């Protein structure tokens, strides 16, 4: 064994447990930072691990490096697992059969019939997922991995077919986060523990994306309305290229709660930013992110059947076929009358990401971890930091959907032992929306 290598016993333990670790280990910024603080990982190693595209690849990359990082690496890794509340994996390593003779301990962790010890709903304690890709974060240790910058070549090759996005700042961002609710006016609305993590995460990532961010916390329904109305009236929207609005609260289908238990309809929010009510943002992208339940039904998931399911759908809509000629005639009539006008639809150039799914029969609950924040904001933060440099926002939200689809959690105290969530987004964007972070270089 090399002088700088891990002890052989520890090396063998990691090797024996590698399959379980790859499946259950959450390699997040806090775990990597802990290993960096102990001088187990270098900065370049940390960046290469966190840059991997899937959770399993991150775990595998880390497990390949650890045995080469000296005799202290095993002990530091176990300490990092405890700090990130992955005690079950620490126990797996320190109480392996060869260490204490208890073979049942290992069986417990590899038995596929047993649920993963995950917990990510209201009043939850820890995020442990099967295959999630995430930068999880602790309330005391937010993620600090920087937003990756857009290159000059990418900007020049994509700026013509996308929304203009080169003002500095890119735009103004409004984050409204309701964490504590009035116990008298809204006795059924519990505090949203972890909500304060979400708004801080959004503030940081949006600031790095060159938005001027304003955060308001704990507003009544009327307070939210007033705040949005004031935001919409900002005259300096004229000088920027976009805007972002984030609403974080309890919610129901089509509405979010104020701290007073009253609801604000989301349709009113979108209307406030439409082309009629907010003319300074006409033809500019308006981004909305809604972290709220859209019902109280828990998604328990269904068993996956092997094999692809294919559906057929028409490649285009035919309902308006043949109306183009009529529209041209009307345009010519307007020009002939000396009143040429370019008209816009009432609402356009908007994209909205929802933490939970709206369906015809069911509106589902959104998951939130009390220490690391909500699943949706975690995944959105990760995707923006890693992929905003070269991915337009609709595709980023597809990535968020994919990663949330793979997550799984516990709902303690209920019959829902394996809970799922599905996010979705709606879009009336008319071009690709690239954020072109840090182009030209500003930092």
């Amino acid at each position: 064994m090399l002088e700088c290598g891990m002890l052989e016993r520890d090396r063998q333990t990691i090797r024996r447990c590698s399959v379980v670790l790859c499946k259950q280990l959450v390699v997040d910024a806090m775990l990597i930072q802990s290993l960096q603080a102990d001088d187990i990982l270098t900065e370049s190693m940390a960046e290469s691990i966190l840059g991997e595209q899937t959770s399993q690849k991150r775990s595998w990359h880390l497990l390949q490096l650890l045995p080469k990082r000296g005799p202290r690496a095993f002990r530091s890794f176990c300490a990092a697992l405890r700090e990130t509340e992955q005690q079950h994996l620490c126990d797996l390593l320190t109480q392996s059969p060869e260490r204490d003779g208890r073979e049942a301990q290992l069986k417990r962790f590899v038995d596929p019939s047993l649920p993963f010890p995950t917990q990510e709903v209201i009043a939850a304690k820890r995020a442990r997922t099967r295959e999630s890709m995430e930068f999880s974060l602790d309330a005391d240790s937010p993620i600090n991995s920087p937003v990756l910058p857009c290159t000059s070549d990418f900007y020049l090759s994509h700026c013509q077919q996308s929304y203009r996005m080169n003002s500095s700042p890119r735009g103004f961002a409004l984050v409204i986060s309701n964490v504590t609710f009035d116990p008298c006016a809204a006795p059924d609305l519990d505090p949203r523990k972890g909500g304060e993590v979400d708004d801080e995460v959004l503030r940081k990532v949006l600031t790095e994306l060159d938005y001027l961010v304003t955060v308001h916390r704990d507003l009544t329904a009327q307070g939210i309305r007033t705040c949005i109305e004031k935001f919409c009236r900002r005259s300096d929207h004229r000088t920027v290229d976009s805007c972002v609005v984030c609403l974080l609260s309890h919610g129901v289908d089509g509405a979010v709660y104020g701290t007073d238990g009253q609801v604000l309809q989301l349709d009113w929010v979108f209307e406030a930013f439409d082309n009629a009510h907010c003319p300074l943002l006409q033809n500019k992208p308006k981004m909305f992110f809604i972290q709220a339940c859209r019902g109280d039904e828990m998604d328990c998931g269904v068993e996956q059947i092997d094999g692809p399911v294919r559906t057929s759908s028409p490649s285009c809509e035919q309902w308006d076929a043949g109306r183009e000629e009529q529209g041209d005639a009307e345009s010519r009539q307007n020009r002939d009358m000396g009143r040429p006008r370019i008209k816009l639809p009432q609402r356009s150039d908007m994209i909205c990401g929802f933490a939970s799914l709206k369906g015809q029969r069911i509106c589902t609950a959104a998951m939130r971890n009390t220490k690391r924040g909500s699943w949706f904001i975690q995944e959105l933060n990760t995707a923006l930091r890693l992929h905003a440099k070269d991915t337009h926002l609709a595709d980023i939200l597809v990535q968020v959907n994919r990663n949330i689809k793979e997550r799984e959690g516990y709902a303690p105290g209920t019959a829902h032992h394996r809970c799922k969530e599905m996010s979705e987004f709606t879009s009336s964007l008319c071009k690709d929306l690239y954020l072109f972070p840090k182009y030209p270089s500003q930092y």
Side-chain angles (χ1 to χ4, degrees):
M1 184 180 69
L2 295 175
E3 181 73 16
C4 62
M6 182 181 285
L7 297 176
E8 184 62 26
R9 181 186 68 171
D10 297 335
R11 186 195 303 268
Q12 292 297 329
T13 298
I14 287 182
R15 184 176 301 162
R16 282 192 302 271
C17 301
S18 61
V19 174
V20 179
L21 288 170
C22 278
K23 286 185 176 181
Q24 298 190 30
L25 178 62
V26 176
V27 179
D28 57 18
M30 191 169 66
L31 184 138
I32 295 299
Q33 288 169 8
S34 178
L35 293 172
Q36 281 184 274
D38 265 1
D39 293 324
I40 303 301
L41 297 178
T42 66
E43 184 174 350
S44 62
M45 289 175 180
E47 290 178 356
S48 65
I49 291 170
L50 293 175
E52 295 287 3
Q53 295 298 304
T54 67
S55 180
Q56 279 194 336
K57 287 182 178 179
R58 288 188 196 179
S59 300
W60 184 250
H61 195 156
L62 175 60
L63 295 178
Q64 292 299 300
L65 283 174
L66 282 176
K68 307 172 185 176
R69 302 306 298 163
R72 295 188 300 107
F74 184 84
R75 184 177 61 200
S76 294
F77 181 47
C78 291
L81 291 174
R82 289 192 295 270
E83 289 176 12
T84 56
E85 299 185 36
Q86 301 185 73
Q87 183 67 46
H88 68 302
L89 295 180
C90 179
D91 292 343
L92 173 64
L93 293 171
T94 58
Q95 300 174 7
S96 61
E98 284 74 7
R99 288 175 179 265
D100 64 6
R102 292 189 291 178
E103 296 183 3
Q105 182 73 20
L106 183 59
K107 182 179 178 181
R108 174 189 166 209
F109 285 93
V110 299
D111 186 351
S113 67
L114 295 177
F116 292 107
T118 54
Q119 189 169 312
E120 281 227 17
V121 292
I122 295 175
K125 293 183 178 179
R126 171 61 186 156
R128 298 191 190 104
T129 66
R130 183 192 301 249
E131 296 283 347
S132 66
M133 174 183 175
E134 62 184 2
F135 278 122
S136 297
L137 61 151
D138 191 275
D140 297 324
S141 180
I143 179 176
N144 61 7
S145 299
V147 170
L148 298 179
C150 168
T151 64
S152 176
D153 287 345
F154 183 84
Y155 175 81
L156 293 174
S157 62
H158 288 78
C159 63
Q160 294 299 320
Q161 69 267 30
S162 61
Y163 284 100
R164 171 188 168 92
M165 193 67 72
N166 57 19
S167 64
S168 185
R170 294 289 192 262
F172 303 101
L174 176 65
V175 179
I176 297 176
S177 175
N178 284 348
V179 176
T180 304
F181 295 78
D182 187 334
C184 297
D188 295 332
L189 299 179
D190 295 329
R192 297 180 61 254
K193 296 178 181 178
E196 67 282 359
V197 183
D198 283 344
D199 61 56
E200 178 64 8
V201 167
L202 288 169
R203 184 189 68 78
K204 288 186 175 181
V205 71
L206 291 172
T207 298
E208 285 193 55
L209 290 167
D210 199 20
Y211 284 86
L212 290 181
V213 185
T214 304
V215 179
H216 294 273
R217 189 176 288 177
D218 295 343
L219 300 181
T220 64
Q222 182 57 47
I224 298 174
R225 179 185 289 267
T226 301
C227 187
I228 289 176
E229 288 174 338
K230 183 178 179 181
F231 183 77
C232 288
R233 289 196 300 266
R234 292 188 65 147
S235 61
D236 38 5
H237 281 309
R238 183 189 307 274
T239 64
V240 297
D241 291 336
S242 62
C243 82
V244 180
V245 176
C246 306
L247 299 179
L248 320 173
S249 187
H250 287 304
V252 293
D253 182 23
V256 294
Y257 279 104
T259 56
D260 55 351
Q262 301 299 308
V263 296
L264 179 70
Q265 297 296 323
L266 291 177
D267 262 350
W268 178 88
V269 176
F270 301 138
E271 182 180 297
F273 289 89
D274 70 20
N275 293 317
H277 295 87
C278 193
L280 294 183
L281 287 172
Q282 285 182 1
N283 299 312
K284 299 178 182 181
K286 296 161 278 284
M287 293 160 268
F288 302 86
F289 302 107
I290 313 296
Q291 171 56 46
C293 295
R294 302 171 81 181
D296 55 8
E297 293 290 336
M298 195 70 68
D299 186 346
C300 300
V302 297
E303 293 300 322
Q304 178 173 294
I305 304 300
D306 289 340
V309 176
R310 301 182 183 273
T311 59
S312 60
S313 59
S315 59
C316 62
E317 290 288 343
Q318 298 295 323
W319 190 77
D320 280 331
R323 296 191 176 192
E324 184 177 354
E325 182 178 347
Q326 176 185 347
D328 288 343
E330 292 174 353
S331 298
R332 286 193 297 270
Q333 183 179 4
N334 282 337
R335 287 195 296 271
D336 293 342
M337 295 173 65
R339 293 185 288 107
R341 300 286 290 180
I342 298 177
K343 299 192 75 172
L344 294 172
Q346 183 81 12
R347 189 179 299 177
S348 65
D349 306 292
M350 294 184 179
I351 186 168
C352 182
F354 294 92
S356 55
L357 196 65
K358 172 181 171 60
Q360 293 181 340
R361 295 181 301 168
I362 184 172
C363 297
T364 57
M367 302 298 201
R368 172 173 38 84
N369 181 273
T370 58
K371 280 193 173 182
R372 297 174 180 264
S374 66
W375 290 8
F376 178 65
I377 301 301
Q378 286 177 44
E379 298 293 355
L380 178 64
N381 175 55
T382 300
L384 287 172
R385 289 182 177 278
L386 289 177
H387 303 298
K389 63 184 178 68
D390 58 8
T391 307
H392 67 77
L393 188 62
D395 279 351
I396 285 176
L397 291 178
V398 169
Q399 293 176 15
V400 170
N401 285 353
R402 179 173 65 246
N403 294 333
I404 286 182
K405 175 185 175 183
E406 295 173 348
R407 299 186 69 150
E408 190 169 275
Y410 274 165
T414 74
H416 307 294
H417 299 299
R418 287 188 174 186
C419 298
K420 303 290 290 185
E421 178 182 332
M422 192 62 239
S423 55
E424 70 173 344
F425 68 94
T426 61
S427 173
S428 59
L429 295 180
C430 305
K431 300 179 182 180
D432 288 344
L433 173 51
Y434 293 98
L435 300 177
F436 300 127
K438 304 181 182 180
Y439 181 84
S441 179
Q442 304 167 41
Y443 305 102

